[in-house]
Amino acid sequence: MQTLKKLFDFYIQSSLHVGLAVFSLVYVTAFSNDVCKHITYPCCLLFGTILGYNFLKYFEVFRKGRFHSFKFYGFVAVSFLAILGFMFFFIRMIDAIKIQLIIGGIMVLVYPLLRKYGIVKMFWVSFVVAYLTAFIFIHALPTFKGNVALEFIKRFVFLSALMIPFEIYDSSTDVLTTNTFPQKFGIPKTKIFGYILLVVFLLLSAYTNNYKHFFADALTTVLLSFFIYFSNADRNKYYTSFWAESVPIFWLGLLLLFQ
């Protein structure tokens, strides 16, 4: 049992789970809009996410050489394999997407500079992930007939709502000068803001999607609303790092089910 728990913790801490969530969001974009479901871009983003998150989380540890344990050597190995996977798929994409991915990478590197600006940080994460999982993907597809800006806004709104449980969970450990949403407005008002975001997302979904895709969006919204409702600063770490981050995977599963 302890071995399984260690493997599970390694799966989360090495950013494999968040990588799978971002991978799922790209396919959510594809299935929601009935566009190309080519594997190259989603896989590139999967490996890029693992690499980016590990860089942000463990840069100081690696820089100072404080990874003298099997776990941290494992993170190094995963990150190295992620570099290889990212480059393998990156070189197979057209130049326009490569340039936009590089821009996305620069946006990720800006994140540490924004950590002390809590509310800005939250919206910045939503903006970057929406840019990577929606804007770049459909902007490069000549077959896409919808409104690229509207799809980006939908994803940004949804991701901002998804950030709420993380913001609440971190509110007890973030320094007060961070000015996160829960610190500035309190947890109840933060949750209300999350519900408002979900209502906006549903309205946009009803406007742009067919009934099958809207139904999948609605069920995902209900699930996320429960995560927001039951969020608090004392929750188990797996509440956000595994369960809340699984929402995009659940969303993709629903879209596949309703195909």
Side-chain angles (χ1 to χ4, degrees):
M1 200 65 179
Q2 277 297 109
T3 302
L4 288 176
K5 184 179 182 301
K6 287 181 180 179
L7 288 173
F8 183 64
D9 286 340
F10 181 80
Y11 166 72
I12 293 173
Q13 293 169 7
S14 62
S15 304
L16 293 172
H17 189 59
V18 70
L20 184 59
V22 172
F23 175 88
S24 299
L25 282 172
V26 180
Y27 271 116
V28 165
T29 302
F31 282 98
S32 294
N33 296 283
D34 296 317
V35 294
C36 173
K37 302 172 181 68
H38 200 278
I39 193 71
T40 303
Y41 183 77
C43 283
C44 184
L45 209 54
L46 166 68
F47 291 114
T49 300
I50 294 169
L51 178 61
Y53 265 76
N54 282 349
F55 176 81
L56 292 174
K57 286 194 294 186
Y58 304 117
F59 174 74
E60 283 300 312
V61 176
F62 294 155
R63 187 177 70 84
K64 295 177 180 178
R66 295 176 180 172
F67 52 95
H68 300 300
S69 72
F70 177 78
K71 178 177 69 174
F72 284 109
Y73 284 119
F75 296 155
V76 172
V78 169
S79 300
F80 178 72
L81 292 174
I83 293 174
L84 296 180
F86 176 78
M87 294 305 301
F88 177 83
F89 290 103
F90 182 81
I91 61 177
R92 282 162 172 74
M93 290 186 294
I94 62 174
D95 290 342
I97 295 184
K98 289 178 183 177
I99 292 170
Q100 292 185 76
L101 268 175
I102 291 171
I103 293 172
I106 294 171
M107 290 179 180
V108 171
L109 294 177
V110 170
Y111 173 79
L113 303 177
L114 301 175
R115 284 188 64 88
K116 60 182 178 180
Y117 306 107
I119 295 177
V120 176
K121 176 200 70 174
M122 171 183 140
F123 288 123
W124 183 254
V125 172
S126 303
F127 180 88
V128 173
V129 178
Y131 174 75
L132 291 169
T133 62
F135 182 83
I136 294 178
F137 186 58
I138 58 180
H139 187 259
L141 296 173
T143 57
F144 180 69
K145 305 301 181 184
N147 188 313
V148 177
L150 189 58
E151 290 300 317
F152 170 80
I153 292 170
K154 277 173 55 182
R155 183 58 51 80
F156 172 76
V157 169
F158 177 84
L159 288 167
S160 296
L162 183 58
M163 288 292 295
I164 296 297
F166 295 89
E167 293 295 298
I168 292 173
Y169 177 76
D170 291 338
S171 62
S172 63
T173 56
D174 287 331
V175 295
L176 293 177
T177 53
T178 304
N179 282 325
T180 61
F181 235 103
Q183 289 174 343
K184 197 170 182 65
F185 301 105
I187 290 178
K189 289 183 179 178
T190 300
K191 290 183 178 183
I192 291 172
F193 178 65
Y195 302 143
I196 292 171
L197 289 172
L198 290 178
V199 170
V200 172
F201 170 73
L202 271 184
L203 291 174
L204 292 172
S205 176
Y207 177 72
T208 58
N209 287 338
N210 62 40
Y211 76 95
K212 286 185 178 180
H213 295 158
F214 173 74
F215 189 54
D217 289 357
L219 289 177
T220 305
T221 299
V222 170
L223 176 64
L224 182 49
S225 68
F226 277 111
F227 275 113
I228 293 173
Y229 180 80
F230 289 107
S231 292
N232 62 59
D234 300 320
R235 280 287 177 187
N236 185 289
K237 65 180 180 178
Y238 300 115
Y239 185 80
T240 51
S241 64
F242 179 75
W243 293 111
E245 279 186 359
S246 297
V247 171
I249 302 170
F250 173 82
W251 191 5
L252 175 60
L254 287 175
L255 287 168
L256 290 171
L257 182 65
F258 295 146
Q259 287 298 305

